[in-house]
Amino acid sequence: MANEIKMYGIANCDTIKKARTWMEKNGVSYVFHDYKKSGISPDKLEEWLLQVDLDVLLNKRGTTFRKLPDMIKENVNETTAIPLMVEHPSMIKRPVLEYEGGIIVGFKGPEYDAAVN
């Protein structure tokens, strides 16, 4: 990736819009990957899960997750969550910012500032 900053998310998400606005106001160049339109690979999700816990990456508060059958929700783990997130990328918390030092899940201005400067 060599210093490339990549933001993953869904274009029409309010949190993505805030993060993109922050990046632009701070003059930070980045590539945006809309995983609702372009998908997300199981390998990428596995890579992220090596860096953050499933509870950090999986959005359990969203309607997509809440609509799942109780048996699936109660037994979700890394093995079962990856195919769910591939099939329903809206279950991934947004944004996921990849930078040279790792990833940040969610929009946190001070963390973005520390990561990109």
Side-chain angles (χ1 to χ4, degrees):
M1 199 159 66
N3 297 335
E4 179 180 83
I5 296 172
K6 196 163 191 178
M7 183 184 299
Y8 292 81
I10 298 170
N12 65 354
C13 167
D14 288 341
T15 307
I16 290 290
K17 289 175 186 174
K18 289 176 192 173
R20 292 178 89 169
T21 298
W22 186 95
M23 298 288 272
E24 288 154 17
K25 280 185 180 177
N26 287 278
V28 178
S29 140
Y30 66 96
V31 174
F32 182 71
H33 177 93
D34 188 328
Y35 48 62
K36 187 94 168 193
K37 292 180 183 172
S38 302
I40 191 77
S41 74
D43 290 343
K44 179 58 70 180
L45 293 168
E46 288 175 14
E47 179 185 321
W48 290 345
L49 288 170
L50 292 173
Q51 299 176 67
V52 297
D53 289 334
L54 179 61
D55 289 337
V56 173
L57 191 61
L58 181 64
N59 181 8
K60 292 183 178 180
R61 289 194 222 166
T63 55
T64 305
F65 184 81
R66 290 193 321 245
K67 287 181 181 178
L68 291 173
D70 288 340
M71 185 172 173
I72 292 174
K73 289 189 288 194
E74 292 164 4
N75 295 299
V76 72
N77 58 40
E78 284 187 18
T79 304
T80 61
I82 289 173
L84 283 172
M85 290 187 285
V86 168
E87 185 177 346
H88 306 284
S90 56
M91 283 200 278
I92 305 167
K93 286 187 186 167
R94 304 177 289 271
V96 176
L97 187 75
E98 282 185 337
Y99 64 101
E100 188 175 2
I103 67 171
I104 299 171
V105 179
F107 173 61
K108 302 161 185 112
E111 286 186 32
Y112 274 36
D113 196 40
V116 301
N117 292 318

